[in-house]
Amino acid sequence: MTKIDVLVDLQFGSTGKGALAGYLSAKNSYEVAVSANMPNAGHTAYNSAGDMFIHKVLPSGVFSRNLRVIAVGPGSVFSIKRLAEEWEYLKPRIPSHPRLIIHEAAGILSESHKELEQKTLGRIASTMQGSGAALCDKIMRNPGVIAADREFEIREHVPEAEIVNQWQWLSAFLSSGNALVEGSQGYSLGISSGFYPHCTSRDCTPSRVVADASLPMSWVRHVYGSCRVHPIRVGNTAEGSSGGWYKDQKEITFQSLGVMPEKTTVTGRERRIATFSKHQIEEALLMAHPHKVFVNFAQYNHEDTRAAMETITTTCAGLFGKPVKFIIGYGPYPSDIVE
């Protein structure tokens, strides 16, 4: 029977989901890697050879020796040009030669979507990549905005791509084994999670990730929750703020931690960083009920890392009545991740 593991972010995004997906794919030998990304999220992963993969379309969990299918789900929004760039880089670097399937309902990004958001969303320090505008076009049933409408163009840029209908999509999973389904962004950026309008255009929970991949919830085996010792938000713009924090946390600086400032993969803006929030992690853990929790950027401050893990342990014991299992990240490479 097909089983899927789901990877979600427990904070504001940028917790290292790409690194974790790469690590899990190599360890667990998934046969299918699934994403439903939008262009407002970029994930970075490294393989064992040290090659860097920056994906805004394709999943990051592509390092399994048994990988048979790379799947781009119907909840995706992607640029055809970006898809081609990622596929051309990835193709010679994975030995298994998997199929590339794209659900016919996946959304297609155009320059007009990005231009519209750049005119209107600077006030909330959005990434302004066109995700919401493309989603609005799809909801309004406008022509030319899903993969089925642009199949010829997609195949022209990526000849190996297969545009599949819902039954073909499900059949690809039924004929394979276990799959890793990757979410993007983070729980607290969800449109319903309390930070509206400083949020993304959808929710970021396991159930939403599975829905965006158009897969049955009954197939879910494990959920992996990803967080970092010091949560971040995307940087502000000259026009506006990217949003607030939980009441039990405060904004700090990278300099106070003695580390170089981070910049986002998508915008290149310097990130904002804050202290760990019990309120945030409690809500996110309740919504995600993860099998294991990835605590990343542990190298920034070991004392803060221990405190965060103690908070997570206590919270999980109170919510679920059982201990939590940890995966710890000390850097971007697979060798930097330990269980």
Side-chain angles (χ1 to χ4, degrees), residues 233-245:
R233 295 204 71 155
V234 67
N236 297 327
T237 64
E239 298 173 70
S241 167
S242 60
W245 305 97

Side-chain angles (χ1 to χ4, degrees), residues 243-265:
W245 305 97
Y246 287 85
K247 291 181 179 180
D248 64 341
Q249 64 186 157
K250 64 178 181 178
E251 188 158 348
I252 56 176
T253 65
F254 288 96
Q255 289 78 6
S256 70
L257 295 171
V259 298
M260 291 292 293
E262 299 175 21
K263 294 186 177 181
T264 60
T265 305

